[in-house]
Structure formats: C-alpha cells, structure tokens
Amino acid sequence: MTELSGWGRYPRHPSDVLSPSSPSAVPPFIASHTGLVSRGNGRAYGDAAIGEQVTLVTRRLDRIRAFDPATGRIRVEAGLLLADLLDVMVPKGFFPPVVPGTKFVTIGGMIASDVHGKNHHRDGGFGDHVESLTLALPDGGVAACSLTENGDLFRATIGGMGLTGTILEATLRLRPIETGWMRQQTIVASDLDAALEALRATADSTYSVAWIDCLAKGPSLGRSLIYAAEHATHREVDALRPGAKAFPPSRSGRLSVPLDLPPFALNRRSVAAFNEMYFRAGALKAGYPFLVHWNPYFFPLDGIGDWNRIYGRRGFLQYQCVVPTAHAGPALRSLLDRISHRGFASFLAVLKQMGPGHGDLSFPMEGFTLALDLPVSESVFPLLDELDRIVVEAGGRLYLAKDARQSPATFEAGYSGLPRFRDLRRAIGATGRISSRLSARLGI
Amino acid sequence: MNASRTLLLIGGTSDIGRATALCYAQAGWRVQLAARREEEARRNADDIAVRTGSEVTVHRLDVLETGQFESFIEGLPQLPDTVVCVVGELGDQQRGQTDLAHATQLLRTNFEGPALLLGSFAERFLERGSGTLVGVSSVAGDRGRGSNYLYGAAKAGFTAFLSGLRNRLAPAGLRVITVKPGFVRTQMTAGLKLPPVLTAQAEEVGRAIFAAAETGKSDVIYVRPVWRPVMMIIGSIPERIFKRLRL
C-alpha cells in the first residue's frame, strides 16, 4: 500500500500500485483486480487518479509508435508525457492541437480528462482531436474505439476520467507550426465586464486567456490581463526578433520549491502585493505584440518544480467551474465577489472563454470558465459550497480533474450525461470494478 | 560518416537496451534490436525511429538457443560495427538453490548465451579487422554474495570472458568493453529498495556505454564512479570476515 494524492496533495488515500511495463501487460491486471483505476503522471488535483483499492500507473507505456510528417498523424502509448512529445515534435515543426496548463501530464490523462487549453473557444478539447484509441476493458478484453467503431465507448472515454477502462494507445493529429515562438499581445481590462468583453473580442485569436486578480474589489472587481497569442510565422519572427532561431531550445534550468512553505507565507497581503506587481508589469507590455517561447507561454508554472509545495503540507484545492454564456456575467460577478470578500489568497486565477463541449463527463460547455487555487483550511470548504450553489444556479458545473470535494448533488446537477455514462459503465461491467476515490465519492 | 555505422543491441526490450539504442540512434547510427519478445522490441524500435529518424530493425533472438546464433548472425542485414549485449536476468536466488532448472537458466542467460554470442561476433570482427564489443556485466560478479551468487557467478564468468577476449583482440586493434552498471532503476529492479547515490537511471547507463565505446579509452567502466571504491573495499575484506557478513 502506498499513500497517494493528486497534485493538490489533498486528499490522501492508501492504494496498491501496479506499474505495467507494456500495453499487453495491462488487460491481465484489470481482469484480476477490482476497485482499480489508472493514473498517468498524477497531475489531476484531487482524487480522480487514486484507485479505490488499486491504482494502475501507466507511465511506462511511453512509446511513440508512429508518426507521419505528411499529415501530422501520430500514434502514441497512453503513458507518454506531453513534455516528452513536445521535446520530440516541436523541433520537427509540429504542436499538439490542445495543451493544458502543464506539460507534465500523460496523453492518456489528457484524454480521460478531455483537457482544454487556451484555444478551446476555437479548437475544442483534446478529445476532439483524438482519431482513435485502444481501451483495455473491465473484462480483460481490448477494444479499438473511434467515432465509427465502438462510438459510444469512444465518446464516453473522452472525459470519462478513466472509468471506462485503461487507455493503452491513441492516434491524433498534430498541427504544423512554422516556429517555436508565440506572438503574444496583452490587453488590460480594468474590471470584469471589460475582461469578458476583451475575451469575446479576442475570440478570433487561436489562444486567449485572462489572468484575473481575485483580490481586487469594488470597481476593480475582476480586473484582468488578457493574453492573446498565435504561433508566430517565420516572417513575424524576422520582424520582431531578427536573427532568432525558428526553434529555440527550451531552457532546462528549473527553479523549484525546496520545502513546504508554512501556512502564513501566503496571506492576503503577500498575494495582493504579488498581484499588484504582476498586474502593473503586465500592463506595461500591453498593446504591442511581442514574441515569447512556447514553453513559458503555455506552461508558466512548469518552470517552478513542485510548485504545489507553496501551499504547505495541508495541500490546496483548485476550484474550476464553467458557467454558460447567458448567465456568465452575473454568476462570475457573484463568484468573484464572494472570493474577494473572504480574502482567500489565490495566486493563480484564470478566466477563459469556452466553445461548445460534448461527451458524457467532459467538462467544457459554451461559456466562461474560472479557475483558482485555494489552500486547504477549515473555512475554505463552506466558501466553496457557496460558490457551488452559484454555479449550479447558473447552469454550470465543476471540472472533475480538479475536484476533490464537490457533493454528489452539485455533480449530478452539472452533468446531464451522467445517466448515460452510468448505463454504459454497467453494460461493460465497469460499475464497482473500475473505480476511483472520485467515482466512489460522487457515485459514478 | 556515422550515417553508415550500425549498432546491434542484444536485449532490445530492456530499459538499458532502449536507452543505449536511443543514444546511438541520436548520434546517427542505424540500429538493430535483437530480443526474444519481438512485439515488445518493436515498441522500442518504433519509438527510437520516430524520435531520431534513424532506421531501426528488429531481430528475434533467444540467448538460450545457442544453436541458432550462426543463422541469427547470417540473417542480419549487415554485420554491425558495434555489438552491445545488455542481456541479464536477476532471477530468484533462493529458488535457484533447490530448483536446478532455474539455476541453470540463470547461469546460461547471464553467462553462456552472452559470452558465446559475443565470441561469435569476435571471430567475424577479427576477420573484417574492425568492430567493438560491449558486454554489460555486473558488480555482483566482482565478489560472490550469499544473496545472489548464482547471478553473480554467471556475471563473474562473463566478466572473465570479456577480459580474456579483450586480451586476445587488443593486438588486432579491436576493443572489448566491460560495463558494470551498479544498481539501475529498471524493470529488473522494480520494487527493490535501492540507495539513491549508488543507483543510476537507464538513460545514464546508455550514455555511459555510448561514451565508453565511441569516445572513451577505458576497458572496464563503472557507470557511477562511486562504485569503484565501493567494490574495492568489498573486494579487500578478508574472506574469513566476509563469509560471516550477511550480504
């Protein structure tokens, strides 16, 4: 038994851990265990990748099996790290169609969580770009799945949190890029309305996202910096940074948080000071397009190893909700109002527009998503329950890959595809056999 | 000029084999992966080919089937420039103490097969007048211990074989390199508690093998230099004391 937790280090549960060395070793493990779920690199924040009894770690299924430069089509094993894929493919002029906020996730985890990126409003979720996958089933069989073959199983597996079986391999299309640079433009929004407007206005951009100051109150409530970006062309690189290499190497030097910070290190004042500084520094750059390397643009926090330790030993919660466009303004205002008044320190708060979603348990829906980090404390749970009520009332839902604490009622209210997902689980014999702490907590 | 050089990696499904083959392919070598389980070796071959653009082929080989060695070598698309053998099986010492079949398998997998195979390549390399042979042996072969002497004895035999082969081939200008990785975090050691300072990653072993064979001068390498003094101390303990230690 090993004590496992997600990236938020809350909650922690004991589990047996299996680590198959090959896709062919997975089906016998699944057939001979119960209360099992697979886990990639453990970057889901809460309890999604902790088996009720057994956790099957896929990290050793990390081979790239085929790549066609003519089409960008790539076939990989599910335990391949996105970071590894980027290292190999960016210098060849290819970029994943969708990347989340960290590159330390596996391809299998990206499918199971149907991760979204800064381009969701245009390109959809990661699952939209998966052409096919192979899935190890609860009965020890293996199924090839795509929209045309085992379509129901395919759709349920995308965003299905590993609860339909273990993804072994996936085939997807990468997008060609001319350079490894991003052409970024920053827009300053002085309040929430301006931020939403700026996100709508930048919807033509491939990538757009807002960093939002959760501690700003009153007339500044929701003040944000909006980052819009495109993959830079050769011509843009020549114009903005003459002589720069098309594919500059990533800097390998990493800072890291060497120890758990004590609980008082992050407080209202220290985070407010950080936010003020960050906002002003960002505002200075506003207006002019500039070049930034893909790595810090997409994965700013990956530069700081073990950044989850800044929240101390008790861990932290990430709260990410999405609310439909129709109710987004008022709902986001009341969410931010609650958060800023309580003064919970959150470094990382992100606001983003989402396009339509699909899939039974897949998170995205057309609207706006807000994500923030909160250190674990007694008083944070009642606040989040309050936020849940606002989200549910607005017809929104919470992201399962981030969740560690929502109630079954909140969950059921948000996911209308749940009954169908449960039916499918029963039909393939997954109910009770493929189960995580999350699925047990939420009754999936 | 590297474009035309070929590595044969024996033990193509192992973690050290994968890492070593990747190092060679990154340097522009063509790679032949030999393994008993072809399908598993194919995973590594595909992966290395996509990552490096090098040509990687897979060849079935069971080091226990010594009778097949000649046809295996004849069947290769070309005689390799360098052969690296990473084959090894830790096995179960206690089981081997009473189960002679298991003991025999450990002796043959760790000694007989690798030694005879490299020996066959040595004859061809002599005839051609060029070639490098690399055998991955083990610190366990430096001194027999109660906890793994079947494995250790076979590796000791392999180390002695490589030493003798080196002695014989040196005048012809052919190199034979003995690699002693120490502890390595691999499938073979999964689940064992290993001291971090003494434990290498497979990638480290791969780089060390490539460096030793293609740019270095050493004949016998310990992947982590700390192992040299450690083994010197272990080697210098008088037998009357050593035999009473629980190792």
Side-chain angles (χ1 to χ4, degrees), chain A residues 21-361:
Chain A
S21 62
S22 154
S24 62
V26 172
F29 275 145
I30 297 190
S32 59
H33 289 88
T34 192
L36 169 146
V37 85
S38 44
R39 175 182 177 100
N41 204 35
R43 287 291 174 125
Y45 283 72
D47 50 7
I50 307 172
E52 258 205 296
Q53 292 169 38
V54 185
T55 306
L56 191 152
V57 177
T58 60
R59 277 290 287 115
R60 291 164 69 192
L61 316 184
D62 64 350
R63 294 353 182 240
I64 303 172
R65 295 304 308 266
F67 175 65
D68 179 0
T71 59
R73 186 176 284 121
I74 190 165
R75 180 160 69 93
V76 300
E77 293 179 356
L80 181 75
L81 276 190
L82 175 60
D84 195 5
L85 182 74
L86 286 161
D87 279 346
V88 176
M89 287 300 152
V90 170
K92 296 186 200 292
F94 287 91
F95 205 80
V98 168
V99 297
T102 171
K103 60 181 175 176
F104 298 119
V105 289
T106 62
I107 302 300
M110 290 170 77
I111 297 171
S113 303
D114 191 17
V115 297
H116 55 273
K118 298 171 172 63
N119 57 342
H120 191 274
H121 58 286
R122 275 183 51 146
D123 300 322
F126 190 71
D128 288 312
H129 304 271
V130 176
E131 292 187 346
S132 61
L133 54 86
T134 55
L135 185 69
L137 298 168
D139 64 2
V142 174
C145 305
S146 67
L147 283 175
T148 51
E149 191 178 9
N150 297 311
D152 288 346
L153 194 52
F154 181 69
R155 275 182 286 266
T157 300
I158 289 170
M161 304 310 291
L163 297 171
T164 58
T166 297
I167 301 167
L168 301 177
E169 279 191 0
T171 299
L172 57 135
R173 292 276 277 266
L174 305 178
R175 69 163 71 204
I177 50 172
E178 284 188 29
T179 76
W181 294 98
M182 307 304 296
R183 180 172 53 85
Q184 184 182 330
Q185 192 146 7
T186 308
I187 297 157
V188 182
S190 56
D191 60 18
L192 181 63
D193 286 338
L196 295 178
E197 188 43 46
L199 283 173
R200 286 195 190 98
T202 54
D204 288 347
S205 305
T206 305
Y207 301 102
S208 111
V209 66
W211 169 83
I212 184 165
D213 181 356
C214 279
L215 291 181
K217 286 199 252 188
S220 302
L221 183 81
R223 72 169 179 174
S224 305
L225 296 171
I226 289 89
Y227 304 124
E230 302 290 336
H231 291 285
T233 61
H234 284 303
R235 184 185 297 210
E236 288 163 345
V237 172
D238 284 345
L240 290 167
R241 197 174 297 201
K245 280 188 185 152
F247 293 102
S250 315
R251 263 171 297 176
S252 55
R254 278 169 40 114
L255 299 164
S256 78
V257 180
L259 72 177
D260 299 327
L261 290 188
F264 55 80
L266 278 190
N267 55 45
R268 188 181 174 91
R269 198 163 300 174
S270 68
V271 173
F274 172 85
N275 283 3
E276 189 63 36
M277 196 179 72
Y278 188 84
F279 188 79
R280 288 182 181 210
L284 280 179
K285 287 188 182 173
Y288 308 97
F290 59 97
L291 287 187
V292 52
H293 190 278
W294 60 267
N295 195 31
Y297 177 76
F298 287 107
F299 313 112
L301 284 171
D302 285 348
I304 308 165
D306 299 332
W307 64 262
N308 53 349
R309 301 182 72 170
I310 65 173
Y311 291 102
R313 269 200 62 76
R314 291 188 71 183
F316 70 106
L317 299 164
Q318 178 152 113
Y319 189 81
Q320 182 167 4
C321 61
V322 58
V323 285
T325 315
H327 307 289
L332 289 168
R333 185 174 308 282
S334 14
L335 289 170
L336 288 171
D337 212 42
R338 294 284 199 302
I339 296 159
S340 68
H341 269 95
R342 295 295 187 84
F344 280 104
S346 175
F347 267 119
L348 189 82
V350 167
L351 182 64
K352 210 213 98 55
Q353 193 172 12
M354 288 191 139
H358 48 73
D360 298 342
L361 294 195

Side-chain angles (χ1 to χ4, degrees), chain B residues 91-201:
Chain B
D92 180 340
Q93 168 68 29
Q94 284 191 352
R95 180 178 156 205
Q97 283 155 203
T98 49
D99 178 347
L100 289 191
H102 184 62
T104 304
Q105 178 178 312
L106 290 186
L107 295 174
R108 294 191 62 216
T109 306
N110 291 302
F111 173 47
E112 184 188 299
L116 295 181
L117 190 56
L118 289 187
S120 296
F121 277 104
E123 298 314 306
R124 285 168 167 80
F125 285 2
L126 268 177
E127 201 175 301
R128 185 177 64 185
S130 71
T132 299
L133 296 167
V134 181
V136 172
S137 190
S138 171
V139 295
D142 288 8
R143 193 165 192 179
R145 294 183 293 135
S147 60
N148 69 353
Y149 62 86
L150 283 167
Y151 174 78
K155 287 294 193 181
F158 189 44
T159 299
F161 180 91
L162 292 170
S163 160
L165 195 60
R166 174 159 52 240
N167 186 230
R168 180 175 150 232
L169 300 190
L174 304 188
R175 291 186 68 205
V176 177
I177 296 155
T178 308
V179 178
K180 298 179 184 176
F183 298 136
V184 187
R185 189 45 79 200
T186 64
Q187 301 164 49
M188 190 167 96
T189 57
L192 298 182
K193 277 207 163 56
L194 302 174
V197 178
L198 296 175
T199 306
Q201 301 298 318

Side-chain angles (χ1 to χ4, degrees), chain B residues 18-40:
Chain B
R18 176 192 184 193
T20 306
L22 184 61
C23 276
Y24 274 85
Q26 272 162 347
W29 288 55
R30 213 171 1 220
V31 174
Q32 301 167 341
L33 289 184
R36 185 167 45 88
R37 294 171 296 152
E38 265 176 291
E39 271 314 301
E40 294 300 312

Side-chain angles (χ1 to χ4, degrees), chain A residues 64-66 75, chain B residues 41-51 56:
Chain A
I64 303 172
R65 295 304 308 266
R75 180 160 69 93
Chain B
R42 174 64 54 199
R43 292 173 61 219
N44 287 340
D46 290 347
D47 185 68
I48 293 166
V50 171
R51 285 171 193 267
V56 187

